[in-house]
Amino acid sequence: MELVRLPSPPHVLCKLLDICHDPDSSLGDLADLISIDAALTSKLIMAANSGAFAINQSLKNLEQAVTLIGHAQVKTMVTTASIQQLFAGLIESQKKYICAAWLDSIYCAVFARDIAIALDYKYPQDAYLAGLLHDIGQIVFDAKYHDQYIKIINSTSEAETIAQEISKFGISHTELGAEIIEHWSSLSPAIADAVRFHHEDERQLQGGDILCRIVAEAGQIARHWCRAGSADAQWRSSLIDHKDLNNIYVHVHDTVTQTANKLGIFLPRSTSLTQAQLSKDIERETGKLARKIRDASLIKVISAEEAYPAALNSPDKLLSKVARDMQLYFSISHLALLFHDPETPESLSLHEVRPVDPPCRFSLENSASRAVRSYLEKRLTWIEVEGSDHQKSPMPDRQIIHRLKHHVALCFPIIHADEAIGTIVVGCHKTQRNNLDKLSDIISSYLEDIAETWVNHRPGRGGRGAKSEREQKEIDKLVHEISNPLSVIGNYIDIVNARSGGTGSDKEIGVLKEELQRVRNIVLNFKEGNEPEPEAVMLNAELESSIPLYVKSVSPGLEIQIMWDLDRNDAEIDITRDAFRQIVLNLVKNAIEAQTDDAAIMVSSNNFTNIDGRVYAQFTISDRGRGINTKTRNLLFSPLISTKEGAGRGLGLSVVADILRAFKGQVKYMKNEVGGALFEVSIPLSLKQ
């Protein structure tokens, strides 16, 4: 599967690009459309099972896979797949095969699911996935060896096709598909078995697992249906009675017709989608795909723009980002990083996706090593276990290749302004060298962006730079002028509370004094150029103590209802209390200002969410306003962008985003169920959890 670009019909890619660039689209919208395409589904599952993401759990559905990998990263995967397919320049016979394979897969998937439901099979989604992937072996064969395989696929029977596959490749598409799926530990082994045995005859299937029988029957119905647009009148099911089967035919027709309409394929009334109808519009859809990519300037999407650059602060984290991107963009799983650490300038250290401590170190004086020379000479270099003269390669090269569990590897130096930072080493099978060579230019371009990101945010670089003596004096003066009124306000709070006989809420007085101290801390950190150290903060407790006070202070004279839906368990989060309260204040202020009359804000929390392999706590603050228009949404967290009137408004959301980046968190905007704005904040859980 590595380095084999599995194609998808342009109809699917066009619709996916629309979803990727619609700010109102949801995670479910993206997962639903991926779930109708075997190629993209395989790419997503392969990523979820790769070492780069280390998702060690079973996948219940594709929406869960999108959630675990990350919504934004999956969008980039889809866009990259579209670009690569467009530039691959598929010939006519490839395009027709893509359409035929896609339609056969979707019919088989829907038939398998409906038969499973009719039989009360406990896992209908497994039946759907097995049906969708039942011919993934054929799709891989065609993507890799189209010119040879197109003759095999047009054989007179399935038995003849399988016999020729074994003769030509040493394995059938059924066995290849099953072995691929068996490498994906997040899927049930029953799915692999269903793919392996879906061409067995009924006599052999008797007594076997029910999922194997379901997928075999679904495959038989689908093969006829996607060519003729109806069932084979002579065919009889051994699982479903005639009445139930007719009901399934009607439901599958309706389901696939709705899918076709979603993709912009509108069929005459009562007509089922067939291969001929799907292939007819393929040139038009390919042209549409090209325009979408050109118009949106999507070619620049394959870049290393780091959403949270503060996280790119060590060689292991640098490798982790590259490994995830390479998996999603290029389906590359086996890679390592040779890094030049200034603390050990005489050597390169080998960093692996699953960290090994201590890392191997290779002397820079070992110029016989092609991997070392790739770094020193700043050029792409192949390394192998045995050289062309049948002599063993130098020890470092052999050790790296064995660590990558491959036969050969290509070294990509990471270079910025003629400075070599390190080398990414990609392992592959000997038969994949040509494919990797073809990708080398675009991978090198990607690594140039990675190098720039690393240099701009590397440890020790410093954020603000050295201040001049004059600047420092101005800052000291400003801090002094701010500190005086802060002291007056603190004393006045104590006096007012004492005069009232202490009748003010102890909790609210305490929060006010903490807020005052928070301002002092912000000012002092600015003066010293310090970043606040993370501390354990309890999410629910902070929300419950700060939000009522902020609501009262921001909305005097208004009756603002606070509606709570907090997780039953509290969670410690890695952020300072000062930073957290600044985030909450800005979001509360935004929610109240979005509503004109007495209104409500809704607050919820979820104290365990896995995003991109990392565990976060989340909270949301939403309102009953009118939401935010599309143009503003696209620049929502930029400075000076606002939904409110007046110059210089809208800094609050930019501040929220900046603070969260510093603490490796994130914020997202969504519409809530009443059309108002909902802001979802994710903050890493404390390591104490």
Side-chain angles (χ1 to χ4, degrees):
M1 290 284 284
E2 285 184 25
L3 302 173
V4 176
R5 298 176 192 163
L6 300 185
S8 305
H11 316 66
V12 176
L13 296 176
C14 281
K15 184 63 179 177
L16 275 167
L17 288 179
D18 289 342
I19 287 176
C20 287
H21 294 88
D22 178 1
D24 286 331
S25 68
S26 68
L27 181 147
D29 295 332
L30 190 58
D32 285 347
L33 204 54
I34 289 174
S35 72
I36 67 171
D37 183 71
L40 289 169
T41 294
S42 300
K43 197 174 180 76
L44 185 64
I45 295 173
M46 185 162 62
N49 284 273
S50 71
F53 287 90
I55 298 169
N56 300 315
Q57 58 179 280
S58 297
L59 296 177
K60 297 176 182 176
N61 51 54
L62 290 185
E63 187 169 336
Q64 183 190 22
V66 173
T67 302
L68 293 171
I69 290 173
H71 197 191
Q73 287 178 294
V74 174
K75 284 183 176 182
T76 306
M77 178 196 84
V78 167
T79 308
T80 307
S82 305
I83 294 167
Q84 290 180 344
Q85 182 164 316
L86 185 68
F87 289 165
L90 302 179
I91 61 175
E92 187 68 23
S93 57
Q94 286 176 297
K95 294 175 184 176
K96 287 185 176 179
Y97 174 77
I98 292 167
C99 288
W102 177 81
L103 193 59
D104 190 44
S105 294
I106 190 65
Y107 269 125
C108 186
V110 181
F111 272 119
R113 183 185 60 199
D114 281 14
I115 293 171
I117 291 170
L119 294 174
D120 291 326
Y121 181 65
K122 190 176 179 181
Y123 306 104
Q125 285 307 311
D126 280 4
Y128 179 92
L129 204 51
L132 189 72
L133 300 175
H134 77 293
D135 275 341
I136 190 65
Q138 284 192 347
I139 295 172
V140 171
F141 275 148
D142 185 78
K144 181 74 175 169
Y145 308 107
H146 175 76
D147 291 342
Q148 301 153 282
Y149 194 62
I150 196 67
K151 298 172 184 175
I152 296 175
I153 202 68
N154 289 325
S155 301
T156 55
S157 67
E158 295 294 341
E160 177 64 20
T161 297
I162 289 174
Q164 288 194 43
E165 288 170 346
I166 295 172
S167 174
K168 185 72 178 176
F169 306 117
I171 191 172
S172 68
H173 74 272
T174 54
E175 187 64 30
L176 175 61
E179 289 191 12
I180 288 169
I181 292 169
E182 284 171 339
H183 277 82
W184 300 336
S185 58
S186 63
L187 297 189
S188 165
I191 295 175
D193 285 344
V195 169
R196 177 176 281 116
F197 300 122
H198 76 271
H199 281 311
E200 296 283 336
D201 60 40
E202 176 58 28
R203 183 173 55 83
Q204 293 289 339
L205 287 167
Q206 288 291 341
D209 182 69
I210 188 62
L211 184 59
C212 296
R213 300 182 66 190
I214 289 170
V215 174
E217 287 212 350
Q220 293 174 36
I221 306 170
R223 278 189 292 279
H224 191 277
W225 198 289
C226 66
R227 291 165 178 79
S230 61
D232 181 355
Q234 305 301 315
W235 184 81
R236 293 291 179 269
S237 171
S238 64
L239 297 175
I240 304 290
D241 64 37
H242 188 66
K243 182 180 178 182
D244 286 343
L245 194 58
N246 280 334
N247 290 336
I248 288 173
Y249 289 157
V250 172
H251 185 254
V252 170
H253 164 80
D254 291 345
T255 301
V256 176
T257 300
Q258 289 171 12
T259 299
N261 291 342
K262 190 187 296 184
L263 298 177
I265 307 167
F266 297 101
L267 306 172
R269 192 170 183 178
S270 300
T271 302
S272 294
L273 182 62
T274 63
Q275 290 175 1
Q277 291 165 323
L278 189 61
S279 299
K280 183 174 62 177
D281 294 329
I282 195 163
E283 292 303 328
R284 185 193 68 190
E285 291 297 320
T286 301
K288 187 192 295 184
L289 180 64
R291 287 192 298 275
K292 285 181 183 290
I293 291 173
R294 181 199 65 206
D295 294 346
S297 300
L298 295 179
I299 295 171
K300 293 297 289 181
V301 78
I302 307 176
S303 72
E305 182 65 29
E306 178 60 54
Y308 308 105
L312 219 63
N313 56 12
S314 72
D316 287 331
K317 289 180 179 177
L318 173 66
L319 175 61
S320 178
K321 169 159 178 61
V322 172
R324 288 177 177 225
D325 288 352
M326 296 278 257
Q327 176 67 64
L328 285 174
Y329 303 166
F330 310 114
S331 297
I332 289 173
S333 298
H334 298 90
L335 70 163
L337 168 66
L338 283 171
F339 184 76
H340 187 223
D341 190 336
E343 294 183 6
T344 55
E346 73 287 351
S347 66
L348 294 172
S349 55
L350 181 69
H351 295 262
E352 300 176 56
V353 174
R354 290 195 172 102
V356 175
D357 195 27
C360 288
R361 296 191 185 278
F362 305 115
S363 171
L364 284 173
E365 294 181 359
N366 189 350
S367 59
S369 165
R370 294 173 68 84
V372 172
R373 289 215 310 270
S374 174
Y375 168 79
L376 293 173
E377 297 171 7
K378 306 181 186 71
R379 62 183 178 88
L380 268 68
T381 305
W382 281 97
I383 61 173
E384 48 197 342
V385 174
E386 189 178 81
S388 56
D389 54 358
H390 303 292
Q391 297 295 316
K392 285 183 178 180
S393 295
M395 184 74 175
D397 297 355
R398 283 185 282 146
Q399 192 169 0
I400 292 166
I401 290 170
H402 284 303
R403 288 288 184 94
L404 292 172
K405 296 181 172 60
H406 269 293
H407 301 82
V408 295
L410 182 55
C411 301
F412 293 86
I414 310 174
I415 304 166
H416 181 267
D418 208 36
E419 173 192 357
I421 295 161
T423 299
I424 291 292
V425 188
V426 176
C428 72
H429 191 275
K430 288 180 180 179
T431 60
Q432 296 172 322
R433 285 185 68 149
N434 287 341
N435 286 344
L436 190 52
D437 272 330
K438 290 175 184 176
L439 284 174
S440 61
D441 284 347
I442 197 167
I443 291 174
S444 296
S445 177
Y446 159 80
L447 289 174
E448 286 176 12
D449 290 337
I450 277 285
E452 184 173 358
T453 304
W454 169 262
V455 168
N456 289 338
H457 302 283
R458 64 187 169 189
R461 181 178 176 87
R464 295 176 186 165
K467 303 184 191 71
S468 68
E469 186 177 346
R470 180 179 176 183
E471 285 176 324
Q472 189 61 55
K473 286 182 178 179
E474 290 295 325
I475 289 171
D476 290 344
K477 179 182 176 183
L478 178 63
V479 169
H480 179 75
E481 290 177 353
I482 293 173
S483 297
N484 283 339
L486 289 179
S487 298
V488 172
I489 294 169
N491 293 335
Y492 188 69
I493 289 173
D494 290 334
I495 292 169
V496 170
N497 190 39
R499 285 179 178 174
S500 65
T503 56
S505 166
D506 290 340
K507 190 174 183 180
E508 289 183 356
I509 292 294
V511 172
L512 283 172
K513 297 191 76 169
E514 286 177 6
E515 286 296 290
L516 204 59
Q517 186 58 47
R518 181 165 73 84
V519 178
R520 290 193 184 102
N521 292 342
I522 292 170
V523 172
L524 289 173
N525 282 330
F526 175 72
K527 175 185 176 182
E528 302 297 332
N530 295 331
E531 295 295 333
E533 289 294 322
E535 60 180 295
V537 174
M538 302 305 295
L539 176 62
N540 288 354
E542 287 298 320
L543 291 172
E544 289 177 314
S545 65
S546 61
I547 287 181
L549 180 66
Y550 294 157
V551 168
K552 287 181 182 178
S553 63
V554 172
S555 57
L558 290 179
E559 288 295 329
I560 304 293
Q561 182 185 6
I562 305 173
M563 302 171 67
W564 300 93
D565 181 19
L566 302 182
D567 198 308
R568 286 184 298 174
N569 300 312
D570 211 342
E572 290 185 5
I573 48 180
D574 267 340
I575 193 169
T576 64
R577 183 169 283 104
D578 290 347
F580 181 80
R581 289 189 173 178
Q582 194 169 356
I583 291 167
V584 173
L585 174 58
N586 279 301
L587 293 178
V588 167
K589 189 171 183 290
N590 189 79
I592 291 172
E593 290 178 347
Q595 303 170 93
T596 52
D597 301 317
D598 293 352
I601 64 170
M602 289 71 79
V603 184
S604 70
S605 68
N606 177 10
N607 293 339
F608 188 90
T609 302
N610 193 314
I611 303 174
D612 298 339
R614 183 164 188 173
V615 183
Y616 293 76
Q618 288 182 331
F619 72 92
T620 67
I621 294 179
S622 62
D623 58 60
R624 291 178 176 169
R626 294 177 297 175
I628 299 173
N629 63 51
T630 303
K631 181 179 179 181
T632 303
R633 278 200 301 274
N634 292 332
L635 299 168
L636 191 57
F637 299 106
S638 301
L640 307 180
I641 296 300
S642 177
T643 57
K644 303 178 279 289
E645 295 179 359
R649 304 296 295 277
L651 280 169
L653 294 178
S654 173
V655 168
V656 167
D658 287 344
I659 292 172
L660 285 166
R661 286 190 194 102
F663 290 95
K664 301 172 188 169
Q666 51 189 283
V667 58
K668 288 197 303 187
Y669 164 81
M670 293 173 275
K671 269 190 177 180
N672 61 26
E673 62 276 5
V674 296
L678 181 149
F679 290 93
E680 179 186 84
V681 175
S682 303
I683 301 172
L685 282 176
S686 167
L687 294 178
K688 300 175 189 174
Q689 291 278 92

